[in-house]
Amino acid sequence: MWKFEAISGGEDRIRAIGFMSGTSLDGVDAAGIVTDGDRVIETGPSVFIPYSTDDQAVLSEALKAAQLIEGRDDQAPVFQIASQVVFDRHIEAFDAIRGQNTDWVNGCSLIGFHGQTVVHKPDIRFTYQVGSPRSLADALGIPVVGDLRLNDVKSGGEGAPLVPAYHGAVAHHLSVEAPVVFVNIGGVANITSVETDLLAFDTGPGNALIDDWVRRHDRGRMDEGGKLGLEGKVEEGLVREFLANSFFDERPPKSLDRDSFTLEAITELSLEDGCATLAAMTGAAIAKSERWMRDKPGTWILLGGGRKNQAIVSALQSRVSGRVIVAEEIQTNTAKFRLDGDMLEAQAFAYLAVRSVKGLPITFPGTTGVDAPLTGGALFTPSR
């Protein structure tokens, strides 16, 4: 199984907190870990702070505006307002996680900050996340590592997914049949196959289209548990047309923007049939990723909000070899490490922050397509 080269000094442990706000626009995850930049020694407290409906409206406007630019525009009012929303929720998340375990957080010496992606276009070497790591460092009085995608994209990589480095470290804690494939189903779905080398790429839509479809019908923010999808009928012809998209024949690494796929094909379906068909598309796209793996997976580990959508889970189970299991059902080999399907990405950004300050690689040829393992991120120290 793939593993990092040992770090000289190896016991140089750092307590870090990672923040993640993903493409589904549901809110901010915050989670702590202890790591030496190689091993994940301990997982710490975690918390989720949802974006309000007004927050989501602001961020959606920023998403729309960002499609029209090809360079950072931090001074534009729409991005400044969005950045303030991101900042406020991150401060709220930090306060909540500190309230949960004050002693643990008081020992934190580093923050990993992803920001909120509003546009990701690696083909023109451009990615833009709103949210100010410098403001966050000043407010918290703790160094913050941000801009974690930027160096990879500028160096010709896809800039995504970033979490595979953490998946590779986590895999050593798990008592499951190898090879292991981590499946993160957020707004966009992506996989990491942990073999001799890391292989990772975006597979297709995750929850984003289903969320958009449910909102279009004024039935809430998501298909809770996949209930609507389980009530509907899958239009298999539309699934086949979806899988004919040229993206699925592109050799990885490859990545997607949240809006790379649309609802156009299902507009004539009922709410339930649309949810069922979109869930089948997500599951089928993930299953199609197996064609690029050297060995057949022994275990598919489901992470992210989509693991709670039983329509997606069923669609995947019916299409792949190997065991499909949600993260929380997995046994780990140490009491200090807990696999949390909601918080693994936030933990990953804490881990990447530590690797960044140590000058260690965070992206790899098999994950983003860069020519060689590459470090990244920028360190922002408090001004006071």
Side-chain angles (χ1 to χ4, degrees), residues 44-276:
S46 62
V47 71
F48 169 70
I49 300 297
Y51 284 132
S52 69
T53 302
D54 288 344
D55 291 343
Q56 290 179 325
V58 168
L59 295 175
S60 294
E61 285 302 311
L63 284 169
K64 293 175 186 175
Q67 297 302 318
L68 304 177
I69 66 173
E70 294 186 3
R72 298 178 74 99
D73 194 1
D74 296 342
Q75 301 308 308
V78 66
F79 299 127
Q80 287 188 320
I81 295 169
S83 185
Q84 186 64 48
V85 166
V86 171
F87 174 83
D88 290 344
R89 295 305 153 257
H90 279 70
I91 294 297
E92 189 177 344
F94 184 84
D95 289 343
I97 202 171
R98 182 168 53 189
Q100 191 181 106
N101 193 327
T102 303
D103 290 341
W104 200 99
V105 174
N106 284 346
C108 173
S109 58
L110 191 66
I111 299 289
F113 174 70
H114 176 263
Q116 182 68 58
T117 297
V118 291
V119 65
H120 184 69
K121 296 180 178 180
D123 55 319
I124 59 171
R125 298 192 179 183
F126 177 52
T127 185
Y128 183 23
Q129 289 75 39
V130 294
S132 170
R134 185 174 302 283
S135 297
L136 197 63
D138 288 343
L140 300 181
I142 302 172
V144 173
V145 175
D147 288 335
L148 283 153
R149 298 188 190 275
L150 202 54
N151 194 33
D152 187 87
V153 170
K154 286 184 174 180
S155 300
E158 291 285 328
L162 288 185
V163 179
Y166 188 62
H167 289 155
V170 164
H172 297 281
H173 284 291
L174 309 181
S175 302
V176 295
E177 183 180 348
V180 174
V181 178
F182 291 89
V183 184
N184 180 58
I185 311 174
V188 171
N190 56 69
I191 64 97
T192 301
S193 179
V194 183
E195 303 177 21
T196 304
D197 297 309
L198 289 177
L199 173 68
F201 54 94
D202 287 346
T203 61
N207 301 314
L209 290 181
I210 300 173
D211 294 347
D212 291 347
W213 183 246
V214 172
R215 290 191 188 105
R216 178 178 291 190
H217 288 80
D218 293 323
R219 290 290 295 272
R221 296 167 58 163
M222 67 183 75
D223 181 7
E224 194 77 43
K227 292 178 182 177
L228 295 170
L230 292 174
E231 292 174 5
K233 176 187 175 184
V234 175
E235 293 294 333
E236 294 291 352
L238 294 180
V239 176
R240 287 192 294 272
E241 289 179 18
F242 166 75
L243 293 175
N245 188 291
S246 61
F247 173 79
F248 301 111
D249 292 321
E250 293 175 15
R251 183 173 294 277
K254 52 187 176 179
S255 65
L256 293 166
D257 187 67
R258 183 193 188 277
D259 297 319
S260 295
F261 291 88
T262 71
L263 296 170
E264 183 178 355
I266 67 159
T267 52
E268 300 302 317
L269 300 184
S270 68
L271 169 64
E272 293 80 6
D273 290 354
C275 286

Side-chain angles (χ1 to χ4, degrees), residues 255-322:
S255 65
L256 293 166
D257 187 67
R258 183 193 188 277
D259 297 319
S260 295
F261 291 88
T262 71
L263 296 170
E264 183 178 355
I266 67 159
T267 52
E268 300 302 317
L269 300 184
S270 68
L271 169 64
E272 293 80 6
D273 290 354
C275 286
T277 302
L278 289 171
M281 289 174 176
T282 293
I286 295 168
K288 199 160 185 177
S289 69
E290 191 171 351
R291 67 181 288 197
W292 304 112
M293 298 174 194
R294 188 187 61 189
D295 301 314
K296 284 192 174 296
T299 309
W300 299 76
I301 301 173
L302 304 189
L303 311 159
R307 78 190 190 288
K308 300 174 184 177
N309 184 315
Q310 290 304 308
I312 294 176
V313 175
S314 296
L316 181 61
Q317 286 175 325
S318 67
R319 289 172 166 86
V320 298
S321 56

